[in-house]
Amino acid sequence: MPLPQEKMYTIEDIYALPEGTRAELIDGEIFYMSPPSRTHQKIISKLNQAIANYIDINHGACEVYPAPFAVYLDENTNTYVEPDISVICDKKKLDDKGCKGAPDWIIEIVSPGSRRMDYYTKLFKYRTAGVREYWIVDPDKNSIMIWNFESEDTGQYTFSDSIKAGIYDDFSIDFSQLNI
């Protein structure tokens, strides 16, 4: 007796979800997302504000988008994600639906239900898609993990540290000043 075939979902299946349903599509599998906590949203807001202020003050070419913001990592793997924060420096990747291709910098805020996805699945997907820098902010562990895929550097920090953004020469985020 043959094994049952798993359904491979597509972007069209994501678009067909009921209004307000948040989900990501990774290699043709749908992963539903729980509503974020207040702390999760506060961290996103503070980080997005710090990055946007830096870009605006320096008349930068990059744009920053907080979730929900659609990122289509590539057309061949049926992968659609909504990173907590996406920084895109190549405006040709942007259209009204979101970002087509890898953002330059992605930040994910860990929730209880996203831990495995953020630390393993997305780490692999972001690296292979061409993301330049990936941060995982983990409020439960008071830690920030940094992967700079260009230089192949990694680092682990706390909410007391000031952390330099690898895609910029002169930008750091001082987590102790974010009042999280």
Side-chain angles (χ1 to χ4, degrees):
M1 175 184 242
L3 292 173
Q5 294 257 325
E6 285 189 36
K7 178 171 172 45
M8 288 293 291
Y9 292 95
T10 67
I11 298 299
E12 286 74 31
D13 294 307
I14 290 289
Y15 291 149
L17 292 173
E19 183 79 28
T21 302
R22 289 198 52 214
E24 294 178 312
L25 179 70
I26 298 178
D27 296 327
E29 185 176 348
I30 292 179
F31 295 89
Y32 292 94
M33 299 162 56
S34 302
S37 70
R38 184 185 62 79
T39 299
H40 187 275
Q41 289 300 94
K42 185 175 182 179
I43 294 169
I44 291 172
S45 178
K46 297 281 186 173
L47 292 175
N48 188 73
Q49 182 179 12
I51 297 165
N53 287 345
Y54 172 81
I55 292 169
D56 289 347
I57 288 168
N58 291 283
H59 308 287
C62 303
E63 295 186 17
V64 60
Y65 294 94
F69 179 73
V71 172
Y72 305 86
L73 286 178
D74 66 63
E75 295 177 15
N76 300 325
T77 64
N78 283 321
T79 298
Y80 160 96
V81 291
E82 292 183 1
D84 289 316
I85 296 178
S86 301
V87 178
I88 299 101
C89 300
D90 180 355
K91 291 188 179 166
K92 290 181 283 190
K93 292 182 178 181
L94 297 170
D95 65 18
D96 281 343
K97 289 188 175 186
C99 178
K100 303 269 196 262
D104 294 270
W105 179 15
I106 289 178
I107 301 174
E108 293 284 10
I109 316 305
V110 176
S111 298
S114 74
R115 183 169 304 282
R116 181 172 174 74
M117 181 73 71
D118 293 338
Y119 278 101
Y120 299 102
T121 306
K122 287 185 175 180
L123 173 63
F124 173 76
K125 293 304 288 185
Y126 293 159
R127 170 178 255 164
T128 58
V131 171
R132 294 168 52 197
E133 185 169 357
Y134 179 42
W135 292 19
I136 297 177
V137 178
D138 194 331
D140 289 344
K141 292 185 175 182
N142 187 39
S143 75
I144 301 101
M145 292 292 303
I146 308 293
W147 286 268
N148 184 321
F149 298 131
E150 289 183 317
S151 66
E152 298 188 15
D153 286 340
T154 60
Q156 184 168 358
Y157 303 88
T158 71
F159 281 38
S160 300
D161 293 321
S162 181
I163 305 169
K164 185 185 174 312
I167 69 165
Y168 294 111
D169 292 331
D170 60 348
F171 178 56
S172 296
I173 296 176
D174 188 346
F175 273 76
S176 70
Q177 298 299 309
L178 293 180
N179 299 319
I180 298 171

